[in-house]
mmCIF file of all heavy atoms in Angstrom:
data_model
loop_
_atom_site.group_PDB
_atom_site.id
_atom_site.type_symbol
_atom_site.label_atom_id
_atom_site.label_comp_id
_atom_site.label_asym_id
_atom_site.label_seq_id
_atom_site.Cartn_x
_atom_site.Cartn_y
_atom_site.Cartn_z
ATOM 1 N N ARG A 209 -234.815 43.361 62.698
ATOM 2 C CA ARG A 209 -236.221 43.351 62.612
ATOM 3 C C ARG A 209 -236.879 43.606 63.897
ATOM 4 O O ARG A 209 -236.456 43.185 64.945
ATOM 5 C CB ARG A 209 -236.713 42.002 62.142
ATOM 6 C CG ARG A 209 -236.798 41.935 60.601
ATOM 7 C CD ARG A 209 -237.457 40.587 60.196
ATOM 8 N NE ARG A 209 -236.446 39.887 59.347
ATOM 9 C CZ ARG A 209 -236.467 38.589 59.064
ATOM 10 N NH1 ARG A 209 -237.418 37.760 59.743
ATOM 11 N NH2 ARG A 209 -235.638 37.989 58.230
ATOM 12 N N GLY A 210 -237.935 44.334 63.830
ATOM 13 C CA GLY A 210 -238.797 44.719 65.122
ATOM 14 C C GLY A 210 -238.169 45.822 65.884
ATOM 15 O O GLY A 210 -238.551 46.002 66.994
ATOM 16 N N ILE A 216 -230.879 50.308 60.304
ATOM 17 C CA ILE A 216 -231.197 49.814 59.002
ATOM 18 C C ILE A 216 -230.843 50.903 57.952
ATOM 19 O O ILE A 216 -230.277 50.578 56.853
ATOM 20 C CB ILE A 216 -232.759 49.484 58.974
ATOM 21 C CG1 ILE A 216 -233.060 48.544 60.038
ATOM 22 C CG2 ILE A 216 -233.025 48.806 57.677
ATOM 23 C CD1 ILE A 216 -234.583 48.258 60.137
ATOM 24 N N ALA A 238 -234.179 41.794 52.130
ATOM 25 C CA ALA A 238 -233.816 41.864 53.611
ATOM 26 C C ALA A 238 -234.067 43.274 54.142
ATOM 27 O O ALA A 238 -234.530 43.395 55.258
ATOM 28 C CB ALA A 238 -232.324 41.522 53.662
ATOM 29 N N LEU A 239 -233.732 44.249 53.371
ATOM 30 C CA LEU A 239 -234.027 45.679 53.724
ATOM 31 C C LEU A 239 -235.588 45.888 53.880
ATOM 32 O O LEU A 239 -235.886 46.482 54.970
ATOM 33 C CB LEU A 239 -233.445 46.663 52.774
ATOM 34 C CG LEU A 239 -231.965 47.048 52.936
ATOM 35 C CD1 LEU A 239 -231.523 47.846 51.602
ATOM 36 C CD2 LEU A 239 -231.843 47.938 54.184
ATOM 37 N N ILE A 240 -236.316 45.496 52.902
ATOM 38 C CA ILE A 240 -237.808 45.771 53.000
ATOM 39 C C ILE A 240 -238.224 45.061 54.185
ATOM 40 O O ILE A 240 -239.154 45.633 54.969
ATOM 41 C CB ILE A 240 -238.473 45.238 51.665
ATOM 42 C CG1 ILE A 240 -237.992 46.152 50.465
ATOM 43 C CG2 ILE A 240 -239.977 45.370 51.819
ATOM 44 C CD1 ILE A 240 -238.540 45.806 49.186
ATOM 45 N N ARG A 241 -237.875 43.845 54.367
ATOM 46 C CA ARG A 241 -238.449 43.070 55.498
ATOM 47 C C ARG A 241 -238.025 43.650 56.811
ATOM 48 O O ARG A 241 -238.921 43.805 57.696
ATOM 49 C CB ARG A 241 -237.898 41.534 55.490
ATOM 50 C CG ARG A 241 -238.925 40.638 56.198
ATOM 51 C CD ARG A 241 -238.443 39.251 56.038
ATOM 52 N NE ARG A 241 -238.132 38.876 54.718
ATOM 53 C CZ ARG A 241 -237.493 37.718 54.472
ATOM 54 N NH1 ARG A 241 -236.931 36.928 55.451
ATOM 55 N NH2 ARG A 241 -237.186 37.369 53.258
ATOM 56 N N ALA A 242 -236.871 44.148 56.911
ATOM 57 C CA ALA A 242 -236.413 44.741 58.199
ATOM 58 C C ALA A 242 -237.189 46.061 58.454
ATOM 59 O O ALA A 242 -237.655 46.248 59.574
ATOM 60 C CB ALA A 242 -234.904 45.064 58.147
ATOM 61 N N LEU A 243 -237.343 46.890 57.408
ATOM 62 C CA LEU A 243 -238.066 48.189 57.605
ATOM 63 C C LEU A 243 -239.550 47.969 57.898
ATOM 64 O O LEU A 243 -240.182 48.682 58.697
ATOM 65 C CB LEU A 243 -237.934 49.026 56.262
ATOM 66 C CG LEU A 243 -236.490 49.583 56.204
ATOM 67 C CD1 LEU A 243 -236.289 50.219 54.916
ATOM 68 C CD2 LEU A 243 -236.243 50.774 57.260
ATOM 69 N N ALA A 244 -240.211 46.952 57.224
ATOM 70 C CA ALA A 244 -241.515 46.648 57.476
ATOM 71 C C ALA A 244 -241.917 46.410 58.962
ATOM 72 O O ALA A 244 -242.935 46.804 59.380
ATOM 73 C CB ALA A 244 -241.961 45.418 56.604
ATOM 74 N N SER A 245 -240.930 45.890 59.674
ATOM 75 C CA SER A 245 -241.262 45.612 61.102
ATOM 76 C C SER A 245 -240.559 46.629 61.981
ATOM 77 O O SER A 245 -240.475 46.378 63.073
ATOM 78 C CB SER A 245 -240.919 44.267 61.478
ATOM 79 O OG SER A 245 -239.761 43.838 61.145
ATOM 80 N N SER A 246 -240.129 47.729 61.456
ATOM 81 C CA SER A 246 -239.407 48.632 62.103
ATOM 82 C C SER A 246 -240.451 49.823 62.545
ATOM 83 O O SER A 246 -241.557 49.728 62.288
ATOM 84 C CB SER A 246 -238.234 49.261 61.504
ATOM 85 O OG SER A 246 -238.694 50.164 60.445
ATOM 86 N N GLY A 247 -239.929 50.946 63.147
ATOM 87 C CA GLY A 247 -240.753 51.926 63.408
ATOM 88 C C GLY A 247 -241.108 52.849 62.214
ATOM 89 O O GLY A 247 -242.071 53.805 62.298
ATOM 90 N N ARG A 248 -240.431 52.632 61.023
ATOM 91 C CA ARG A 248 -240.644 53.491 59.935
ATOM 92 C C ARG A 248 -241.009 52.641 58.643
ATOM 93 O O ARG A 248 -240.237 52.508 57.665
ATOM 94 C CB ARG A 248 -239.434 54.246 59.573
ATOM 95 C CG ARG A 248 -239.197 55.292 60.784
ATOM 96 C CD ARG A 248 -237.899 56.144 60.382
ATOM 97 N NE ARG A 248 -238.175 57.070 59.333
ATOM 98 C CZ ARG A 248 -237.302 57.343 58.333
ATOM 99 N NH1 ARG A 248 -236.257 56.550 58.141
ATOM 100 N NH2 ARG A 248 -237.720 58.152 57.434
ATOM 101 N N PRO A 249 -242.093 51.931 58.725
ATOM 102 C CA PRO A 249 -242.379 50.891 57.641
ATOM 103 C C PRO A 249 -242.541 51.575 56.303
ATOM 104 O O PRO A 249 -242.110 51.047 55.214
ATOM 105 C CB PRO A 249 -243.778 50.352 57.977
ATOM 106 C CG PRO A 249 -244.319 51.325 58.947
ATOM 107 C CD PRO A 249 -243.259 51.875 59.692
ATOM 108 N N HIS A 250 -242.889 52.942 56.188
ATOM 109 C CA HIS A 250 -242.998 53.592 54.927
ATOM 110 C C HIS A 250 -241.694 53.733 54.246
ATOM 111 O O HIS A 250 -241.642 53.899 52.974
ATOM 112 C CB HIS A 250 -243.635 54.942 55.134
ATOM 113 C CG HIS A 250 -242.975 55.902 56.028
ATOM 114 N ND1 HIS A 250 -243.269 55.806 57.403
ATOM 115 C CD2 HIS A 250 -241.936 56.658 55.873
ATOM 116 C CE1 HIS A 250 -242.443 56.579 58.000
ATOM 117 N NE2 HIS A 250 -241.683 57.198 57.107
ATOM 118 N N ALA A 252 -239.734 51.578 53.557
ATOM 119 C CA ALA A 252 -239.416 50.483 52.653
ATOM 120 C C ALA A 252 -239.999 50.649 51.252
ATOM 121 O O ALA A 252 -239.581 50.080 50.319
ATOM 122 C CB ALA A 252 -240.109 49.140 53.243
ATOM 123 N N PRO A 272 -244.629 40.141 49.949
ATOM 124 C CA PRO A 272 -245.380 40.185 51.307
ATOM 125 C C PRO A 272 -244.871 41.302 52.337
ATOM 126 O O PRO A 272 -245.717 42.066 52.789
ATOM 127 C CB PRO A 272 -245.063 38.835 51.863
ATOM 128 C CG PRO A 272 -244.812 37.954 50.637
ATOM 129 C CD PRO A 272 -244.109 38.796 49.635
ATOM 130 N N SER A 273 -243.589 41.491 52.327
ATOM 131 C CA SER A 273 -243.129 42.534 53.249
ATOM 132 C C SER A 273 -243.468 43.912 52.730
ATOM 133 O O SER A 273 -243.739 44.901 53.603
ATOM 134 C CB SER A 273 -241.571 42.439 53.384
ATOM 135 O OG SER A 273 -241.166 41.219 53.773
ATOM 136 N N LEU A 274 -243.366 44.014 51.422
ATOM 137 C CA LEU A 274 -243.771 45.297 50.848
ATOM 138 C C LEU A 274 -245.183 45.720 51.072
ATOM 139 O O LEU A 274 -245.485 46.834 51.525
ATOM 140 C CB LEU A 274 -243.383 45.291 49.347
ATOM 141 C CG LEU A 274 -243.701 46.631 48.555
ATOM 142 C CD1 LEU A 274 -242.703 47.681 48.874
ATOM 143 C CD2 LEU A 274 -243.754 46.389 47.118
ATOM 144 N N LYS A 276 -247.017 44.571 53.440
ATOM 145 C CA LYS A 276 -247.194 44.810 54.905
ATOM 146 C C LYS A 276 -246.769 46.291 55.168
ATOM 147 O O LYS A 276 -247.554 46.986 55.920
ATOM 148 C CB LYS A 276 -246.305 43.829 55.649
ATOM 149 C CG LYS A 276 -246.467 44.038 57.149
ATOM 150 C CD LYS A 276 -245.534 42.919 57.872
ATOM 151 C CE LYS A 276 -245.270 43.437 59.299
ATOM 152 N NZ LYS A 276 -244.201 42.766 59.991
ATOM 153 N N SER A 277 -245.689 46.742 54.598
ATOM 154 C CA SER A 277 -245.322 48.172 54.805
ATOM 155 C C SER A 277 -246.269 49.090 54.362
ATOM 156 O O SER A 277 -246.632 50.152 54.894
ATOM 157 C CB SER A 277 -244.039 48.465 53.967
ATOM 158 O OG SER A 277 -242.967 47.524 54.383
ATOM 159 N N LEU A 278 -246.956 48.728 53.179
ATOM 160 C CA LEU A 278 -247.991 49.575 52.516
ATOM 161 C C LEU A 278 -249.138 49.682 53.642
ATOM 162 O O LEU A 278 -249.711 50.743 53.793
ATOM 163 C CB LEU A 278 -248.464 49.077 51.266
ATOM 164 C CG LEU A 278 -247.678 49.423 50.021
ATOM 165 C CD1 LEU A 278 -247.971 48.605 48.837
ATOM 166 C CD2 LEU A 278 -247.955 50.767 49.746
ATOM 167 N N LEU A 280 -249.242 49.338 56.573
ATOM 168 C CA LEU A 280 -248.967 50.089 57.856
ATOM 169 C C LEU A 280 -248.749 51.556 57.565
ATOM 170 O O LEU A 280 -248.511 52.329 58.359
ATOM 171 C CB LEU A 280 -247.607 49.617 58.452
ATOM 172 C CG LEU A 280 -247.725 48.232 58.994
ATOM 173 C CD1 LEU A 280 -246.351 47.691 59.435
ATOM 174 C CD2 LEU A 280 -248.679 48.149 60.225
#
Side-chain angles (χ1 to χ4, degrees):
R209 268 184 239 163
I216 308 174
L239 271 170
I240 293 175
R241 203 177 313 161
L243 285 166
S245 55
S246 76
R248 300 180 67 228
H250 55 272
S273 309
L274 180 70
K276 182 180 164 194
S277 308
L278 274 166
L280 291 171

